Amino acid sequence: MLFATFAVWLFCLPKPLFKDSTATVVESKEGVMLGARIANDGQWRFPKMDSIPGRFEECILHFEDEYFYSHPGFNPVSMSKALWQNLTTKNRRGGSTLTQQVIRLSRKNKQRSYGEKLIEVFMATRLEAGYSKKEILNLYASYAPFGGNVVGLQTASWRYFGIPAEQLSWGQSAALAVLPNAPSLIFPGKNEVVFKQKRDRLLQKLFHEKIIDETTYQLAIEEPLPGKPFSLPELAPHFTEKVRKDFPGQRIASTININLQKKVNQLVKEHHYLLQQNEINNVAVLILDVNTKEVLAYVGNAASNSENDPYVDIITKPRSTGSILKPFLYASALDSGELLPDMLVADVPTSINGYSPENFDNQFYGAVPASVGLSRSLNIPAVRMLREYGLDRFYKRLQELQFSSINKPANHYGLSLILGGAEASLWEITNAYAGMASTLNYFTNTSSEYRTSDFQQPKYVKNEGVSFGKKRENGTVFNAGAIYKTFEAMREVNRPQGEENWSFFNDSQPIAWKTGTSFGFKDAWAVGVTPKYAIGVWVGNADGEGRPGLTGVQAAAPVLFDVLNVLPNSGWFKTPYDDLAETEICSKSGHLAGVYCDEIATEWIPKEGIKTAPCAYHKQIFLDASEQFQVNSSCYALSEMHQKNWFTLPPTMEYYYTSKHPEYKPLPPFQLNCLQEGEKKMEFIFPKRNETIVLPKNFDETINEVIFTLAHRDTETTVYWYLDQQFIGKTQTFHELAFQPKPGNYILTAVDKEGNEVTQQISISLASL
């Protein structure tokens, strides 16, 4: 019998003692509450406390259980007095210890009876045997009721005083200590006299027992009672919701920097006010530490009315990327040795399988350095670069950069992938840029080494630890030299209005940054990195409504630079000399210097760039004595020829390049009596080879004309046009010919007055309705 009783006693406590659902509580790195979400049962019950403040401990012990640290779980003297009073008077008195109250709370406050009291005593002794006094006290403070749906000291402290329990004064601690005994006292405007009397008697007891001095006592009794519950902090509501989904019912210490979060909140509020004037209602900002991959600030959306979707966490939602992926393509081409930083790339009318990209300003520049094409976010060079690099290869790079939202086959996106044809989240984009910076920093701060996991997902739980994987000799995605040169190009992007003279100020931060604007002005992006921080900004409307002026530079970039200004200065990235090669570069073409390049500069380029071809835009020509005509041995004496190196572009590139570069000099024409071999003097601009021309109809059912366009080195010549050997017209100076053909397949021919000829097969069809 004794053994059976002992066995029942030994196993009488349930495990765990409390199975109640708890609220999700999120704290900053410094321990400040960012926000909380109510428990599943509708109670504000914070997760169990680790310890309780000394003031509250003194208050609760002197009010409920003065002999707590000396009794075995029940107090025979108190129980005897309570029993006698209950039997001899109409007043009811409880004799339960705090340990017994913990048991009663765990048993869901079953109806009081003498039998239930015996069970509580029995289980209380077991609780004392298995838990320390501090643990029991923490259980009481965590699960005691404090009125309404407020459970636990920490919850009550926030709800009734708007501060953590550690900051409670003596008056506040005393008020909360008397509440579990009579939770109904808390209703504002009711029972305030009784509530104050209870609190003040406890404070007087503390004074008489010299727990507090007279001054503290006088100040404490003058403190106001708690009234209407305070709202809990909402410093990062979308982040709090993200934590709730990942860690429901837990208290999470995050990596959020509280001061930075508050500053970014204020900046978003200010910009949101301005953006709303243009009916742009949503803003999101994410800041990462590039070296630890920790989330430092998280604003998932701007506070707004419910009609503007303020509860949508934009940071995690895929949106059209606009031009924000271009730096990854630039880095890919540098890394593979297919591109040099300032190599000239074509910016001319382009049609690829019916897809004809256009620059944002609807202009063509003929040829631009690749770095300028990136910094100015030109679309045509980017599309041509993607075609040359390979769509599938670049798609694989994006997967390595952890773009999980880009999850359809590469062919689904096509070449528009680089111009916003895919969707990605601000979380993914900011992380990818942070990974590039992390790779570069690690390489330059170690013995030129890489790691396997620089692009892993950011962390937001404090002290969780980030593993960047094992060391390796080559970059996981990009090598350091390609990343550095990409950042150098991004550094030259024109800053928004008001930031133009940033370099003249010593405290101004350099930053590698990029903007993006989706088709229809629906998404505006701005993402930037420094050696310490990655900043991602998205501006737009969550419902996808486009607005004029909703561009990366106009809407998102000002937010980016205001955020940058509140961050400590990071300086600029160290140069990764071990992954760069010093070599001679043609200043005009950006290629490796060829034998005919006159202006040569010594520059550091990614190592793989050494295998690119030398400059093909410079060639050696021979001129007559006046240097106005090209000549050769068929028409001019060798001894009288003038030899010169000449920078010359293909006809189509030259056609557009000349208007933007007055200093450019086209090749001089050949002297009339000279034989010419192999020179390409003219080239079709439209239509391009293998391009199908689609003829749309007007509203009156008439078919629009086609504008055939051609570039010719000699601006004074006359060009004669033929369609299947039938003459259709001639042009001079500007070689554009309007013609209305019928659907079908044709041979288009252009012949200049010197007899030079270009021919191309074309296909013409009617647009389908």
Side-chain angles (χ1 to χ4, degrees):
M1 181 66 180
L2 184 62
F3 178 78
T5 303
F6 176 74
V8 172
W9 177 84
L10 188 62
F11 298 104
C12 68
L13 293 181
K15 290 185 178 181
L17 193 60
F18 291 90
K19 298 179 181 179
D20 306 275
S21 62
T22 55
T24 304
V25 180
V26 185
E27 298 174 346
S28 71
K29 182 186 295 185
E30 300 81 6
V32 178
M33 186 190 292
L34 296 171
R37 293 293 178 267
I38 200 166
N40 292 336
D41 60 0
Q43 301 292 305
W44 278 112
R45 185 189 300 107
F46 284 11
K48 186 171 73 71
M49 300 176 66
D50 296 325
S51 62
I52 64 173
R55 289 173 182 170
F56 181 79
E57 181 176 344
E58 291 288 353
C59 290
I60 195 65
L61 292 182
H62 281 81
F63 185 75
E64 288 282 3
D65 194 352
E66 289 190 70
Y67 300 99
F68 175 72
Y69 282 104
S70 57
H71 63 61
F74 66 97
N75 187 331
V77 176
S78 295
M79 290 181 66
S80 299
K81 289 181 179 180
L83 178 62
W84 178 254
Q85 180 174 320
N86 293 339
L87 292 174
T88 59
T89 70
K90 293 182 179 180
N91 295 325
R92 290 292 175 262
R93 173 180 174 178
S96 297
T97 63
L98 287 175
T99 310
Q100 289 175 266
Q101 292 184 50
V102 170
I103 294 298
R104 185 164 64 248
L105 290 170
S106 73
R107 289 172 60 79
K108 305 304 179 189
N109 290 311
K110 291 189 176 182
Q111 186 174 0
R112 296 189 180 189
S113 66
Y114 291 114
E116 180 64 24
K117 182 68 68 174
L118 289 174
I119 293 174
E120 288 176 6
V121 171
F122 185 75
M123 296 179 70
T125 59
R126 179 65 184 90
L127 185 63
E128 290 277 349
Y131 292 76
S132 69
K133 289 288 187 179
K134 289 291 185 183
E135 288 174 324
I136 295 171
L137 203 55
N138 290 343
L139 285 170
Y140 176 81
S142 299
Y143 292 98
F146 284 84
N149 66 344
V150 178
V151 178
L153 172 64
Q154 193 68 265
T155 316
S157 180
W158 277 107
R159 291 290 280 163
Y160 298 138
F161 297 107
I163 57 175
E166 295 74 21
Q167 297 178 16
L168 290 172
S169 65
W170 280 107
Q172 292 167 336
S173 297
L176 293 183
V178 304
L179 264 182
N181 185 262
S184 61
L185 295 179
I186 195 60
F187 288 101
K190 296 181 180 180
N191 307 317
E192 290 185 359
V193 174
V194 178
F195 191 4
K196 189 174 190 310
Q197 289 174 348
K198 279 177 169 281
R199 184 202 66 175
D200 291 352
R201 281 199 299 270
L202 174 57
L203 289 169
Q204 188 176 43
K205 186 176 183 180
L206 293 172
F207 170 57
H208 288 157
E209 297 192 14
K210 298 182 179 181
I211 304 298
I212 58 176
D213 58 30
E214 184 174 3
T215 302
T216 302
Y217 168 66
Q218 293 296 337
L219 291 172
I221 61 175
E222 294 299 323
E223 291 185 38
L225 295 172
K228 184 179 179 180
F230 284 80
S231 297
L232 292 174
E234 283 282 31
L235 297 176
H238 302 89
F239 179 72
T240 300
E241 187 62 23
K242 178 179 177 62
V243 174
R244 183 196 68 78
K245 292 177 181 178
D246 294 342
F247 302 96
Q250 299 184 44
R251 183 190 304 274
I252 297 296
S254 73
T255 59
I256 296 291
N257 181 302
I258 186 62
N259 291 326
L260 181 59
Q261 181 71 27
K262 289 180 177 179
K263 289 177 182 178
V264 175
N265 283 346
Q266 182 61 32
L267 289 174
V268 168
K269 181 179 179 181
E270 293 170 1
H271 281 277
H272 181 245
Y273 174 79
L274 297 174
L275 290 164
Q276 276 193 310
Q277 313 309 310
N278 188 25
E279 298 183 19
I280 300 172
N281 300 307
N282 306 104
V283 184
V285 178
L286 176 65
I287 304 177
L288 304 179
D289 183 314
V290 302
N291 295 313
T292 64
K293 279 298 189 70
E294 293 180 345
V295 177
L296 301 181
Y298 191 110
V299 180
N301 207 332
S304 184
N305 59 57
S306 58
E307 295 178 358
N308 298 324
D309 304 304
Y311 306 111
V312 176
D313 184 356
I314 300 293
I315 288 177
T316 60
K317 300 297 183 293
R319 306 287 299 200
S320 173
T321 55
S323 298
I324 211 72
L325 302 180
K326 288 177 182 175
F328 304 125
L329 176 59
Y330 181 81
S332 298
L334 289 177
D335 193 61
S336 63
E338 297 167 49
L339 182 74
L340 296 183
D342 298 318
M343 182 184 289
L344 283 181
V345 292
D347 182 19
V348 296
T350 300
S351 180
I352 305 170
N353 296 327
Y355 175 55
S356 300
E358 295 180 348
N359 291 328
F360 188 78
D361 59 6
N362 292 316
Q363 296 189 56
F364 303 102
Y365 294 86
V368 294
S371 59
V372 173
L374 176 62
S375 65
R376 292 170 60 182
S377 199
L378 297 177
N379 293 336
I380 294 172
V383 170
R384 295 173 70 97
M385 188 184 300
L386 178 56
R387 180 182 61 175
E388 293 170 11
Y389 181 78
L391 177 61
D392 289 324
R393 287 175 69 196
F394 183 59
Y395 178 84
K396 182 181 178 182
R397 287 284 173 270
L398 294 178
Q399 300 307 306
E400 293 169 346
L401 292 168
Q402 305 298 313
F403 280 99
S404 58
S405 296
I406 303 177
N407 51 19
K408 294 180 174 61
N411 289 336
H412 171 83
Y413 304 105
L415 296 177
S416 67
L417 172 65
I418 200 63
L419 303 183
E423 292 185 339
S425 67
L426 187 63
W427 179 271
E428 294 169 328
I429 290 168
T430 310
N431 179 52
Y433 281 101
M436 291 176 71
S438 175
T439 300
L440 180 55
N441 286 343
Y442 188 77
F443 183 88
T444 54
N445 292 327
T446 61
S447 301
S448 303
E449 296 175 328
Y450 296 96
R451 298 172 294 192
T452 57
S453 304
D454 276 314
F455 293 89
Q456 67 166 314
Q457 293 300 308
K459 305 297 181 184
Y460 58 82
V461 178
K462 183 180 178 182
N463 298 327
E464 186 176 55
V466 179
S467 173
F468 289 97
K470 299 178 181 179
K471 295 180 180 180
R472 55 181 292 169
E473 293 183 1
N474 297 315
T476 308
V477 184
F478 307 122
N479 287 328
I483 295 173
Y484 181 77
K485 286 299 179 178
T486 301
F487 285 169
E488 286 276 285
M490 294 169 63
R491 185 180 181 179
E492 299 304 318
V493 177
N494 291 328
R495 297 194 178 205
Q497 187 174 3
E499 291 277 347
E500 297 91 342
N501 299 320
W502 70 274
S503 59
F504 293 107
F505 299 93
N506 291 331
D507 60 346
S508 293
Q509 287 210 59
I511 183 173
W513 69 292
K514 183 74 184 73
T515 60
T517 305
S518 68
F519 179 77
F521 303 100
K522 297 178 180 180
D523 304 272
W525 302 87
V527 182
V529 284
T530 73
K532 291 184 179 179
Y533 306 104
I535 310 166
V537 176
W538 177 91
V539 174
N541 288 311
D543 62 5
E545 180 186 356
R547 295 297 303 167
L550 182 52
T551 66
V553 170
Q554 290 180 284
V559 183
L560 171 72
F561 282 95
D562 278 353
V563 171
L564 178 67
N565 288 336
V566 303
L567 292 171
N569 198 317
S570 305
W572 186 241
F573 295 94
K574 296 178 182 178
T575 305
Y577 289 109
D578 287 349
D579 198 49
L580 297 173
E582 192 175 23
T583 188
E584 292 185 338
I585 298 294
C586 176
S587 298
K588 283 192 174 181
S589 71
H591 284 254
L592 296 178
V595 293
Y596 301 126
C597 295
D598 290 327
E599 298 177 24
I600 295 174
T602 301
E603 296 182 8
W604 291 91
I605 64 171
K607 280 185 174 180
E608 291 296 313
I610 294 295
K611 64 186 183 183
T612 60
C615 176
Y617 295 118
H618 280 86
K619 65 180 184 178
Q620 190 178 64
I621 64 171
F622 296 92
L623 303 174
D624 65 357
S626 67
E627 296 192 350
Q628 293 183 0
F629 296 98
Q630 291 188 68
V631 294
N632 53 39
S633 58
S634 69
C635 61
Y636 210 78
L638 292 175
S639 59
E640 296 181 14
M641 292 182 188
H642 290 197
Q643 178 180 316
K644 274 203 168 184
N645 297 330
W646 204 279
F647 174 66
T648 179
L649 296 170
T652 304
M653 292 170 66
E654 180 181 89
Y655 178 80
Y656 293 100
Y657 186 85
T658 304
S659 63
K660 308 293 182 183
H661 297 269
E663 76 283 0
Y664 178 80
K665 296 180 180 180
L667 279 172
F670 272 91
Q671 194 168 280
L672 289 177
N673 57 338
C674 287
L675 295 176
Q676 305 170 38
E677 293 183 4
E679 184 192 14
K680 190 174 183 180
K681 300 194 69 173
M682 56 182 175
E683 184 177 33
F684 285 118
I685 297 175
F686 180 82
K688 285 292 184 183
R689 187 176 300 278
N690 300 324
E691 179 179 6
T692 299
I693 301 172
V694 179
L695 300 176
K697 286 186 178 181
N698 293 320
F699 290 111
D700 59 2
E701 294 297 316
T702 60
I703 299 175
N704 287 341
E705 293 181 326
V706 175
I707 308 296
F708 297 129
T709 310
L710 177 138
H712 199 293
R713 290 195 184 279
D714 185 355
T715 58
E716 301 300 324
T717 193
T718 300
V719 173
Y720 303 91
W721 298 77
Y722 300 87
L723 201 63
D724 280 351
Q725 299 183 355
Q726 180 181 349
F727 177 73
I728 59 174
K730 65 178 180 179
T731 56
Q732 190 169 8
T733 306
F734 299 104
H735 302 294
E736 295 181 350
L737 179 70
F739 184 69
Q740 193 176 64
K742 294 180 179 179
N745 297 318
Y746 301 93
I747 300 296
L748 178 64
T749 305
V751 182
D752 66 10
K753 63 182 181 182
E754 286 83 25
N756 298 300
E757 178 182 307
V758 287
T759 300
Q760 187 167 299
Q761 184 172 347
I762 62 173
S763 178
I764 299 174
S765 62
L766 287 175
S768 58
L769 297 177

